Amino acid sequence: MKIPRGIFAGLFAALLFAAVLVGSCGVLLESALRAHAPVERYGAAAAVVTGPQRVETRVKQLGSPPAKQSRPVAEPARVPVAMVERLRAVPGVRAVVADVSFPVLTGAGATVSGHGWDSAALRPYKLSAGRAPQAPDEVVLSAATGAKVGGTVPLQITGKPQPYRVTGLVGAGPAAAFFAPGTAATLSGHPAHADALAVLTDRGVSPRVLQEAVRGTPGLHVATGAARGDAEDPAVAAARPDMIELSAVLGGVAIMTALIVIGGLGALSVRERARELALLRAVGATPGQVRGQMVRQALGAAVPAGVLGGVSSLAAGAGLHAAMISKGVLPEGFGLSLSPLPALAALGITVLAAALTTLLASLRTARIRPAQALGEAALEPSDLPRWRRVTGLVFLVLGLNSLGVSMATAGQAAAASVSGLVLTLVIATALLGPSLARIGDRVLGPPVARLAPVAGKLARHASTTAALRAGSVITPVALAVAFAGVQLFAQTTMVRAAEVQAADGTRADQALVSDGPGLPPGAAEAVRRTPGVRAATPVKHTSAIMAVREMGEQALRSLSARGVTPDAARTMDPGAVSGRLDALTGTAVALSRDVAGGVRVGSAVTLWLGDGTQIKARVVAIYERGMGFGDLLLPHDLAVAHSASTLDDQILVAGTADLRQITAAYAGARVLPAEALAARQSEALRLQGFLSLVVVAAIAGFIVIGLVTTLALATGARRREFALLRQVGATRRQVVRMVRLEAVIVLGTGLVAGALIAGVTLLAFATAVTGLPLPAVPLRPAAALLLVVGGSGAAAMSLPARALLRRRAPGTL
């Protein structure tokens, strides 16, 4: 017994796309696990001494001892320059460079990295012309900037642009500006500290010896090898945990989706070949032989599909990684790791999924008596097995319970529960599919019968007598609509909420922003002195780490934070439900209600600032517009002191004063109207959702391919049914119309089921995120989703039916 070519092709296509999906998520996961920033400027250094690169602590767990958790810090943790002499005393150490980095904006509007001239030896940069800088107003620039030796260039660093004389040029390498070491230390804003201490050696020096040399200062870390890149660019290490979590979740969703789609195809292929299996049992084949035959045939499609899909997944994962880099979702230095592991995992999962689903689908047919198998091959069972009804109801209850949990949580916990909620309800739909098909026939059948009395009655009869087949169709339809709808419109709901919160909470009339690295500290004071300005609030974007309560347990999370001055209430209203923003001084903090987790005003919380510095902060306010104004509000001076640069990201201005003198004085500065701030602030959410949208599109496409394959196979297997209808007098047109109307009943039921699953999930998500059950569902994308799923399903039913009916002799159909 050979597997029919149509069934083989359908299984092969579904398994191929499943392998590509799983493998591409594996590429992203492996890249995240192995990611290190490239070693560029520290290439000549044998080791790099930095401050703490991770925060580690124990957090409370529900019903278990505190668990150790860690998160990387996003800002460089500075090192005392006094440690240089101690490191120089280590035998074998030739030199120690106290490296500092700060952004420099050239007169042409380009941003370069500023350093001390002693740091040039680390890459190394070599003079191609001129000499090293010596005076405070001297600089060496990269030749790519177009500067000339002996010329004067305006550079903006800590204030308005100042003239610097170019004493030399360096060649290949990232664009940079080198100053005299003492000048660079002053310009960095922290002359007694360095971003890192780069150790150059004449011969190999053990990292353990260097670690012993700095043992007296807690928190210092010695990085060697590839870890030097993380010291050079902390952004890559900071992006790793979220990327690991996201790619693992999406990979799990891809696997579960593949199991559902492939399981439906496997069940359909077994059901359509039930007559052959029954004949095998009748001539003496044992249940084990029948099951073995079915599994071997499934593996015959799974192995080549898994191999081809696994290899293709490496290219797909690399393309997705490149797209994320180009969109700014991942930092530039987030490298791509390619190995056979994702391809092998995709092959293994594909083969296992095909074997497991085929085995489960063939269990009953191979086990029952041959006479009973022949009877069921001619007529489908009219009722669901008890185990299927009970299991379906269990998953339905679990889904409803998850729905309640989602509505009771907030923030990241609510977002993380969405995919699991959808899959739980879809599994319940798959198990109870035939029952849903009968319900759909009772609702949609009468209108269809009234629309076309003959073809409509035939369509109703076909959909009710073949409820198992209809249930196999409803599942991928509901899965496609529910999964794609939830993922797409959860993202639009979050973006809309951020825009609304930012717009409602903005009291400023305009804002000063920069097209470069930021606005120097003096810009805010210059704005305040401008006639017509009632208030000016500098805003510094940074991050913080804090233990957040999620679903009864605590988890260490990296949170978005903003540093603002005590007069922030005059330009912004984050929606304080308790406390006051004018108390944001010293080590005070205001918390979004999404991360407060029951903390009250006046309480003390432990958090770690952007560079990993631990503080005990006093909570002075709780606010509700966290999506529009970040998870935390910090005192401006505190945020600046623990950030990589002293530059502000924007200045909120109350008053319609003319700020053209300010924009002319500071390079890259421009004015935005207040209404444009909301879109600017929600752009980060759009970028964060880029990976989810791409993978969702791929998974939804895979589901649609599985749906089309399932419907085409199911329709192609109805040769005898169509022949019988033609023999009793039905015309080709009536049969085709019957198939179309049956598609209306079956696909309509699936679309409604998927829309209901998406609807209740989005209502719960919107309630958790915005406090109101009002998800943002754009009509055009929603209609397009329903049209694509329904239209492709209808085409997959009607086209094979028309092809079968083109034959002249009805008895040969």
Side-chain angles (χ1 to χ4, degrees):
M1 180 181 68
K2 292 185 178 180
I3 186 171
R5 284 184 295 179
I7 293 178
F8 180 89
L11 281 173
F12 183 88
L15 292 165
L16 173 65
F17 278 91
V20 172
L21 274 176
V22 174
S24 57
C25 290
V27 169
L28 295 178
L29 178 60
E30 183 180 20
S31 298
L33 290 171
R34 299 184 178 185
H36 286 288
V39 181
E40 294 181 343
R41 287 198 314 103
Y42 293 157
V48 180
V49 179
T50 68
Q53 295 182 314
R54 301 187 67 83
V55 167
E56 294 186 352
T57 188
R58 292 187 178 275
V59 296
K60 297 179 180 179
Q61 299 293 311
L62 191 63
S64 59
K68 188 175 182 179
Q69 294 185 9
S70 66
R71 299 287 295 185
V73 297
E75 308 279 0
R78 300 188 180 100
V79 186
V81 175
M83 299 300 301
V84 170
E85 295 302 323
R86 191 181 301 180
L87 289 168
R88 283 176 180 163
V90 175
V93 172
R94 172 165 47 91
V96 179
V97 176
D99 180 57
V100 293
S101 299
F102 48 90
V104 177
L105 190 63
T106 68
T111 301
V112 300
S113 182
H115 310 280
W117 175 246
D118 53 350
S119 297
L122 300 178
R123 180 177 172 88
Y125 284 90
K126 295 183 179 179
L127 283 171
S128 59
R131 62 169 176 82
Q134 297 173 354
D137 62 344
E138 294 181 345
V139 66
V140 169
L141 293 173
S142 295
T145 62
K148 303 295 183 181
V149 175
T152 300
V153 296
L155 300 178
Q156 180 174 290
I157 304 171
T158 59
K160 296 179 181 180
Q162 299 294 326
Y164 284 84
R165 187 162 59 90
V166 181
T167 62
L169 298 175
V170 292
F178 294 97
F179 303 85
T183 302
T186 301
L187 292 175
S188 70
H190 44 85
H193 291 80
D195 295 334
L197 304 180
V199 181
L200 295 92
T201 62
D202 290 322
R203 61 180 185 272
V205 178
S206 170
R208 183 181 57 81
V209 176
L210 295 175
Q211 192 69 58
E212 287 291 334
V214 298
R215 182 177 295 278
T217 304
L220 294 188
H221 173 72
V222 178
T224 59
R228 292 173 298 166
D230 293 338
E232 186 174 325
D233 183 9
V236 173
R240 286 182 61 196
D242 291 336
M243 193 61 196
I244 291 173
E245 182 178 343
L246 183 58
S247 55
V249 168
L250 290 175
V253 171
I255 293 172
M256 291 297 297
T257 304
L259 287 173
I260 293 174
V261 173
I262 295 170
L265 276 173
L268 178 64
S269 67
V270 171
R271 188 162 56 252
E272 298 303 337
R273 301 163 65 195
R275 184 181 297 274
E276 299 174 44
L277 299 178
L279 288 174
L280 283 178
R281 291 282 287 115
V283 297
T286 66
Q289 289 174 327
V290 173
R291 289 193 294 267
Q293 177 76 0
M294 294 296 294
V295 171
R296 284 192 294 272
Q297 290 178 352
L299 293 180
V303 172
V307 172
L308 181 59
V311 173
S312 301
S313 71
L314 299 180
L320 185 56
H321 174 272
M324 295 175 68
I325 295 290
S326 66
K327 287 287 187 179
V329 179
L330 291 177
E332 287 286 344
F334 200 99
L336 173 67
S337 296
L338 285 179
S339 77
L341 291 178
L344 293 175
L347 172 61
I349 290 172
T350 301
V351 170
L352 181 62
L356 181 62
T357 55
T358 303
L359 178 63
L360 292 175
S362 63
L363 281 178
R364 187 173 187 277
T365 304
R367 187 176 63 247
I368 62 178
R369 295 187 299 274
Q372 185 180 356
L374 284 170
E376 291 191 0
L379 184 65
E380 285 188 359
S382 59
D383 202 6
L384 283 176
R386 178 179 297 177
W387 71 267
R388 188 164 171 174
R389 290 199 306 271
V390 172
T391 309
L393 291 174
V394 168
F395 273 97
L396 182 60
V397 171
L398 289 175
L400 295 176
N401 182 64
S402 299
L403 179 66
V405 172
S406 298
M407 296 182 71
T409 56
Q412 296 185 14
S417 65
V418 168
S419 296
L421 172 58
V422 171
L423 285 176
T424 302
L425 293 176
V426 168
I427 292 173
T429 301
L431 293 168
L432 302 174
S435 299
L436 289 177
R438 295 188 182 96
I439 295 173
D441 176 72
R442 295 192 189 101
V443 176
L444 299 177
V448 166
R450 286 193 296 269
L451 180 66
V454 176
K457 289 180 179 179
L458 291 175
R460 289 197 66 183
H461 178 76
S463 63
T464 53
T465 56
L468 287 176
R469 181 180 66 208
S472 298
V473 172
I474 288 172
T475 300
V477 173
L479 177 59
V481 173
F483 181 78
V486 167
Q487 296 297 330
L488 291 174
F489 302 134
Q491 178 68 16
T492 59
T493 299
M494 292 182 66
V495 171
R496 177 74 61 81
E499 291 178 346
V500 170
Q501 289 185 10
D504 291 347
T506 299
R507 292 179 174 175
D509 299 293
Q510 53 188 331
L512 191 68
V513 299
S514 173
D515 292 328
L519 297 165
E525 188 57 37
V527 171
R528 291 190 183 101
R529 292 196 301 265
T530 302
V533 172
R534 299 191 304 274
T537 303
V539 179
K540 176 66 175 178
H541 290 181
T542 182
S543 65
I545 299 173
M546 192 177 79
V548 177
R549 184 176 297 278
E550 296 178 351
M551 300 176 66
E553 296 187 352
Q554 286 190 324
L556 204 60
R557 293 293 184 189
S558 298
L559 306 175
S560 62
R562 299 184 184 188
V564 296
T565 51
D567 64 348
R570 302 178 65 183
T571 58
M572 57 189 290
D573 177 18
V577 294
S578 59
R580 297 169 55 184
L581 293 184
D582 58 7
L584 276 174
T585 58
T587 58
V589 62
L591 299 179
S592 163
R593 191 163 56 183
D594 294 338
V595 302
V599 176
R600 297 181 179 180
V601 171
S603 302
V605 295
T606 300
L607 57 85
W608 291 261
L609 300 173
D611 61 355
T613 301
Q614 181 179 348
I615 65 170
K616 202 78 169 180
R618 180 173 53 89
V619 179
V620 296
I622 305 290
Y623 57 94
E624 60 183 358
R625 293 177 178 145
M627 299 193 70
F629 294 91
D631 299 313
L632 304 173
L633 292 178
L634 300 171
H636 180 265
D637 293 342
L638 185 66
V640 169
H642 297 275
S643 298
S645 83
T646 59
L647 304 181
D648 292 320
D649 293 281
Q650 61 187 20
I651 300 172
L652 301 179
V653 182
T656 57
D658 186 354
L659 299 179
R660 282 180 293 182
Q661 287 187 344
I662 306 296
T663 58
Y666 293 94
R670 61 188 177 96
V671 177
L672 279 182
E675 55 269 18
L677 283 175
R680 181 183 177 95
Q681 292 172 0
S682 64
E683 184 63 25
L685 282 176
R686 290 190 178 93
L687 291 177
Q688 290 172 10
F690 175 76
L691 173 61
S692 297
L693 292 179
V694 171
V695 176
V696 164
I699 293 177
F702 165 62
I703 296 170
V704 171
I705 290 171
L707 167 65
V708 170
T709 305
T710 301
L711 288 171
L713 291 178
T715 305
R718 300 171 67 180
R719 184 190 308 267
R720 295 176 183 273
E721 177 189 345
F722 294 162
L724 180 60
L725 289 172
R726 293 286 285 117
Q727 287 174 344
V728 298
T731 65
R732 287 187 176 90
R733 184 177 180 182
Q734 286 175 327
V735 176
V736 171
R737 195 173 189 189
M738 177 202 76
V739 173
R740 290 173 179 169
L741 294 175
E742 184 183 352
V744 171
I745 297 174
V746 177
L747 296 177
T749 303
L751 292 175
V752 171
L756 285 174
I757 293 173
V760 296
T761 305
L762 289 172
L763 287 175
F765 179 76
T767 301
V769 170
T770 68
L772 295 173
L774 298 174
V777 182
L779 292 181
R780 288 185 180 179
L785 173 63
L786 296 176
L787 183 61
V788 168
V789 176
S792 59
M797 290 181 69
S798 60
L799 293 179
R802 292 176 66 90
L804 288 174
L805 290 165
R806 286 195 187 102
R807 302 187 178 183
R808 294 182 179 179
T812 63
L813 284 174

